[in-house]
Every structure is written in C-alpha cells, then in structure tokens.
Amino acid sequence: MDSMTADPQSSNPSPDELLSLVAHELRGSLTGVSGILELAVTPGSMIEPEELPDMLALAHRESLQMAGVLENLLIRSRLATGKLALELVPVSLVEAVRSTLDIFPEVAKRTVVAVPAGVAVKADPRALRQILQNLVQNVNRYAPTGEVEIRAESVGNEIVLTVSDEGPGLPTDGEGPRRIGLGIGLRLATELAVRQGGDLSPVPPLRSGATFALRLAATSETPIADPVLAPVPATLTPRARLLNDLSEALGDRNLDRTMIGIGELAKSILGSSMVSMFVGTNDGMDVYGPAATIRPAIQTSDLPDTCVSPELARLEENLLWLTELGIDRAYHWRVTTAEGREACLVVGFDPGVKPDERLAQEILPGIGRIAAIALDRSDLEAEVTRQRRLRSSVLESLPLAISVFEGDPPVLIDMNRKEREMLGIEEDSSRATSLSESQEQFSVRFADGTPLTVDNAPVTEAVRSGRSQGPFFLILRRADGSEIHTRTHCAPFFDETGAVAGAVVTSEQIDPQLPD
C-alpha cells in the first residue's frame, strides 16, 4: 500500500500523479458498466425482461463507484479553493453503512455489521458517504478476501466506527506509528472527518490486516431521511449473476475466468456444453476453455477455416478432438479484436441437444465480441506474467544471493535460490514481503549492531535517491537461529518513464574473521 503521514494535506500527489490515480480507479468500474450494458443491448434476448432491472442495478453499482472517484476529485478541488460548505445534521449511521455496502456487493457478502439501529451522528450526509465509500473501497482493493467487520461504539460524546479487514495491513516507518495510506481516497476521507469535528486514523488491528477508526459527534436527534442512501436492489437471478461475474472477469483481465463465464452463459441460454477459443501465437496456438484439456490432440488443421470468415457457421466435419469432448454439434467463427488480433471460437453441444438456430445466430456473435474484449485485455496481464517468469528464471541462474524490491517503502517481489539458501528458508512464502517485517524476521542489523529500519535501510535509500548503495555489511539471523555476516549492494531500477520502480539487492556471505 502507498502511505502518507497523518496530515491529510501533506504529500499531496502532483497533477500528473493525480490524473494517473483517477484514470486507474475509473478504468475498472467503467469496464464493469460497459460489459454489463453491452450484454444488455446485444440482440437476441441475452437478458430476459424480468432480469433487466437486476442488470441495471449492477450497472448502477459500478456507476456509483465511478461517481465516487469523481466526487473525490470534485471535493478535493472544493476543499483546496475553500468552496466546500458542510452542513452537519443527524444521520443514521447504520443506513449510511448499509447503503455503502450496497455499492460493493462482494465486500458486503463477507462483512459483519455491528452498528446499532438507533445510533445517529452529527455529520454532513454527503461527506459521510464519501468517507465510508473510500474506506470500503480501500478494503475492496487491498483486502479482497477474508472477513470484514464494521462496528460502532459509543465513547463519551462520540461514536467510534471501526472498519477492520484481514488483508496485508498498513506499512510502518520502522519502529514508528502505523500510517494512513492509499492515495487520494483516504487523504480526502481524513480531511472530511476533521472538517466535521471528528477524526479518521488507523488503529491497532483486531486480528490481522488494517483497522480504521472514524470518530464523529453522537446525537440523540432523529436522523433526517436521505434519498441518496436508498439501498440498491441486491437480489439477482442466476443468469443475472452470471452476467455480473462475466463483467467482473473482463475487468480482471483474466482470460481463463472469462471463458469459463462465457461458457456458463452460453449454457444457460443455449444449452451448449463447450465454448473454446483458439488464438494463434508465434509458437503455434493457445487454447482456452474445455478444449484446453486435450490441447495435445488438437492440430491447427483441425480448425476448419474458422479464421477465414467472421460469419457464424455450422461445423459439419467430424473432428476427433470434438468427439473426445463428447461434442455432437458445433458452431465456429472468427473474431477480430480492437487491437487487430484474431481468434477462432467454437461452441459445442452434447448429442441430442439442438439449440434454437435463430437464437444461436443472434447470441453467439455477441459472445464473440465479449471474448474479443477479454483477449485484448488479457494481453497486458500475459506480458506481465511472462516478464515475471523471465526475471525469475534469470535470478535462479545467478550465483549471488539476489532479492528484488518494488515501491516505497520497498516490498519484496522476488528472490532466488541463493538468497533462500543464505537465509535458511525453503519457500519464498516463508519470508515476509514487507521490508520492516522481513528485517524483523531475520533480525537484520548493521555490523556495529544498529538495527535496520525501513528508513535507514540501504535498499530504501537506493529507491529514494535513484543511486546505488554499498557495499555495506550486515548481520542476519537465519531461520535455524544461527547468524551470518554478509556483504551487500543495492542498485535501483527504473520504469519506462525513467522513474525509480524499485531496487535489486545482491548479497554474499562473508567470514567476519577475515579482513575486508
């Protein structure tokens, strides 16, 4: 997680950084909305009339997330120019919490809400909504699994609302206090809380993860009705849930998951048993969907002119690989992505299943468009994965102990076999990824006995200065309790814009009795 100090106006992002943050946050929600609406308007009754309200509710949720990002930007601008006037009125806290969770249904499913129905706070309804949305958005992004708890307690004349998750937690400054993080969202939430006479700050977590405490003045007055807090319908039919999952998969750039969703969607509408996609590569062909399970049995010649025509056609040939999958009837056609890539889609049916030909002609091209979008969006993730594997293979082949860190404060993202041997661990997962926890795990200290912290660590200096550091000498306690001495160097590496992206640390074990 990014980090910041307790001062909500300190370390504000530059205009370029702010634009990047907003664009990143908007992209995910826009993908969800466009995916849902594209499915909703595809000819051929992909959505039954009674399902349309549910699908519009899903698009509404996504649009509310986008609106939240833009609202952050607008409120930040008004705060900066002194044009934001807050009106403090009695607000029902439980209604505000539940309406926020309606916007984040995946978080809501794993959230325990312990907020008494009669609790009211003195707050500006709009500002309170923004604080809660930013807190839950933080959970949604950084703690995608695990239980979430939202609890309210009365403390004197205040109500303290805590939001706790089981994610990776917040960074620390060595031995210093835990810090608020995550860029514009929580910076703004903190300032809004202060402007309402309250406070927002991280507190020691209940178990693991992060816990934020929001303090606002309590009130015994009757809460006002806020129409914006009206809940969004949450009940979904099975097919509407499939469409929702599919739109989320598009946002994840996960091609395998998307093809599974496409297959389930086609099954629910047409009764098909298989949707597979074939993509040409420099090495031959990538296969997604059920056909991937028998990929060695599929030859390029077994795809009968599927990349010749974009028109949907019935597959007449009896191909061996289709027989192995139990497919009796199949359709095939070519799809072309916005980036110019081409793929072949094959939809198959079990023996005895005869789909509605008219519906197939209308539905399957729409499914092809979804697959094309997913293919384009998966390219970036595939390239990142390829680069990561290449980097790991290079690291493993080198004779020095090497670890790679990204970000500020630095976070471990990779290490090689020599590094694991030096530390006495067998798996990468046995080592903490945060710099402070890793240094504590191995009791890392300088040769004079000074403990390493996040701020005095040479790897941090390499990231912040953009210059190589070392050599320097460290003492480490291995997993078995024995101590070793190392000679270590740190070198920064840069992204495509020239900014420091992280640092590579190289180490070798030395005999402390020998002269340097």
Side-chain angles (χ1 to χ4, degrees), residues 64-131:
L64 288 177
Q65 291 197 55
M66 289 191 289
V69 175
L70 295 175
E71 190 71 6
N72 278 339
L73 201 58
L74 290 172
I75 292 176
R76 181 179 184 273
S77 173
R78 290 170 184 164
L79 285 173
T81 57
K83 296 179 180 179
L84 181 67
L86 301 183
E87 181 183 0
L88 304 187
V89 297
V91 180
S92 168
L93 195 53
V94 70
E95 290 300 323
V97 168
R98 293 198 180 281
S99 66
T100 300
L101 290 174
D102 282 334
I103 305 173
F104 303 91
E106 295 306 313
V107 177
K109 289 190 297 186
R110 52 192 177 91
T111 298
V112 176
V113 177
V115 180
V119 172
V121 294
K122 204 80 168 178
D124 181 275
R126 186 175 181 181
L128 178 58
R129 286 196 303 270
Q130 206 64 28
I131 293 171

Side-chain angles (χ1 to χ4, degrees), residues 59 69 77 79 87 132 135 155 181 193 220 304 309 321 328 386 389 418 431 435 465 474 479 500 505:
V69 175
S77 173
L79 285 173
E87 181 183 0
L132 294 176
L135 286 173
V155 180
S220 58
S309 172
W321 65 270
D328 178 61
R386 188 188 71 82
R389 288 174 178 168
K418 283 290 186 180
R431 180 179 178 181
L435 186 58
S465 69
L474 300 177
V500 179
V505 179

Side-chain angles (χ1 to χ4, degrees), residues 115-377:
V115 180
V119 172
V121 294
K122 204 80 168 178
D124 181 275
R126 186 175 181 181
L128 178 58
R129 286 196 303 270
Q130 206 64 28
I131 293 171
L132 294 176
Q133 287 181 24
N134 285 331
L135 286 173
V136 179
Q137 177 67 57
N138 179 57
V139 172
N140 190 46
R141 180 179 301 160
Y142 292 101
T145 60
E147 185 177 281
V148 180
E149 182 179 279
I150 300 179
R151 176 179 296 276
E153 295 180 352
S154 177
V155 180
N157 296 324
E158 293 182 320
I159 299 297
V160 179
L161 180 81
T162 54
V163 179
S164 304
D165 61 56
E166 295 182 335
L170 295 173
T172 61
D173 282 331
E175 314 247 340
R178 299 173 75 81
R179 301 182 297 171
I180 284 182
L182 315 178
I184 183 174
L186 288 185
R187 286 184 174 94
L188 178 61
T190 302
E191 183 164 0
L192 287 174
V194 172
R195 294 290 184 99
Q196 297 175 89
D199 177 56
L200 174 65
S201 61
V203 296
L206 297 178
R207 295 180 294 275
S208 60
T211 297
F212 286 91
L214 171 64
R215 292 178 176 270
L216 292 172
T219 181
S220 58
E221 299 177 46
T222 302
I224 64 168
D226 186 348
V228 182
L229 296 182
V232 178
T235 57
L236 298 177
T237 64
R239 288 207 300 172
R241 172 54 62 187
L242 285 173
L243 295 173
N244 179 48
D245 292 343
L246 191 55
S247 68
E248 290 179 358
L250 287 173
D252 289 343
R253 292 194 179 90
N254 187 321
L255 194 54
D256 288 317
R257 183 181 162 205
T258 304
M259 291 308 299
I260 291 172
I262 289 174
E264 291 294 327
L265 183 62
K267 180 179 179 180
S268 71
I269 298 175
L270 296 174
S272 63
S273 56
M274 180 206 78
V275 178
S276 288
M277 180 163 64
F278 305 84
V279 184
T281 68
N282 292 334
D283 300 325
M285 179 176 60
D286 284 338
V287 183
Y288 301 91
T293 61
I294 58 167
R295 179 176 178 177
I298 304 174
Q299 303 297 322
T300 303
S301 59
D302 287 337
L303 302 177
D305 299 327
T306 50
C307 288
V308 172
S309 172
E311 300 299 322
L312 183 70
R314 170 84 181 274
L315 183 60
E316 302 296 342
E317 293 91 337
N318 294 319
L319 301 178
L320 179 61
W321 65 270
L322 284 173
T323 303
E324 288 190 27
L325 290 172
I327 301 301
D328 178 61
R329 176 191 298 253
Y331 294 86
H332 64 95
W333 73 105
R334 182 194 72 206
V335 296
T336 302
T337 76
E339 299 297 325
R341 297 194 66 185
E342 291 189 340
C344 308
L345 279 176
V346 179
V347 177
F349 296 82
D350 289 337
V353 177
K354 293 184 178 180
D356 183 320
E357 296 284 347
R358 179 193 61 80
L359 191 57
Q361 291 287 337
E362 293 177 340
I363 293 297
L364 294 180
I367 285 178
R369 289 196 294 274
I370 298 168
I373 293 171
L375 179 58
D376 270 347
R377 290 176 179 165

